[in-house]
Amino acid sequence: MVVELRSRAKKFAAAAGIILAAASYVTLSARQFLAAHYSDTPDVEHLGRAARLDPSDANIQYQMGRYQLVMRQSPQEALAWLRRATELDGHAAKYWIDSAIAEQLLGNADAEKVSLRRALEADPGTPDTAWQAANLYLAMGSTDDAMRQFRTVLQNDPPRTNATIETCWKIKPDAGYLLAQVVPAAAY
């Protein structure tokens, strides 16, 4: 397709359109660059700037939520950021795990269970996710759910075998139960 730009008005409109598109691209790129730069500094001021510059970046939202949860020990403030991160990217188990932790600290057992379920759906076989979920289930008093997650750890993380078995033994010192429910058949 050929567009003829013989008249002065068409030339001006084409040039203005190109300049506007280039300026928009440069502005968007600069905002994302600055947001990434600010998010590399783990303090609330820089993370806040990063979140304002790029509110659609789930990882920045997560970092701000994690900061509120760990550094400021404010689960209520953290939860707003963590919820936004999970809305933007529901496939990141760590976002859901930290949401579950915040919900637990706030005493929201039902919401904590939902967050744990979503974490395990997002990342069902990863030992780190299973380990964290198991410990959260233990804190909830859901021993059977915890043991299922410890089984996932044993199946997928051989270096963590001793710590996992020791933890399970402290919870339920029943060799028959542990062999039947926790230790994978391939291990014996």
Side-chain angles (χ1 to χ4, degrees):
M1 177 171 116
V2 176
V3 178
E4 292 190 28
L5 301 175
R6 293 184 187 217
S7 73
R8 178 174 263 181
K10 286 184 181 180
K11 289 178 184 176
F12 178 77
I18 291 170
I19 290 170
L20 180 62
S24 297
Y25 177 76
V26 168
T27 301
L28 179 63
S29 296
R31 287 175 64 103
Q32 289 180 333
F33 172 79
L34 287 172
H37 173 72
Y38 286 134
S39 71
D40 286 340
T41 307
D43 66 57
V44 74
E45 183 180 327
H46 285 93
L47 289 173
R49 283 183 191 160
R52 284 189 300 278
L53 285 168
D54 194 358
S56 64
D57 187 323
N59 191 52
I60 292 172
Q61 302 295 316
Y62 168 72
Q63 287 178 13
M64 186 63 145
R66 181 117 176 110
Y67 183 89
Q68 296 292 340
L69 185 63
V70 175
M71 300 304 290
R72 288 212 168 152
Q73 297 184 3
S74 176
Q76 187 66 44
E77 286 185 43
L79 199 53
W81 293 100
L82 295 168
R83 283 184 179 156
R84 178 76 175 131
T86 60
E87 289 168 7
L88 292 168
D89 180 3
H91 302 291
K94 67 182 182 178
Y95 301 173
W96 290 109
I97 289 289
D98 282 352
S99 291
I101 292 168
E103 295 288 6
Q104 182 186 74
L105 292 170
L106 293 170
N108 302 333
D110 291 337
E112 178 186 4
K113 288 177 187 175
V114 169
S115 292
L116 277 175
R117 182 180 51 78
R118 296 293 304 268
L120 293 169
E121 287 171 359
D123 199 5
T126 301
D128 287 336
T129 301
W131 180 266
Q132 291 176 317
N135 284 289
L136 287 167
Y137 279 129
L138 283 177
M140 261 192 268
S142 299
T143 304
D144 290 337
D145 291 326
M147 293 300 187
R148 277 192 288 282
Q149 296 311 311
F150 283 130
R151 182 181 181 95
T152 299
V153 174
L154 288 172
Q155 288 172 327
N156 298 300
D157 192 3
R160 208 180 283 180
T161 298
N162 289 342
T164 304
I165 290 175
E166 286 175 19
T167 301
C168 292
W169 184 258
K170 287 176 186 175
I171 298 161
K172 191 156 186 132
D174 179 347
Y177 173 85
L178 294 178
L179 286 173
Q181 300 298 321
V182 180
V183 177
Y188 56 90

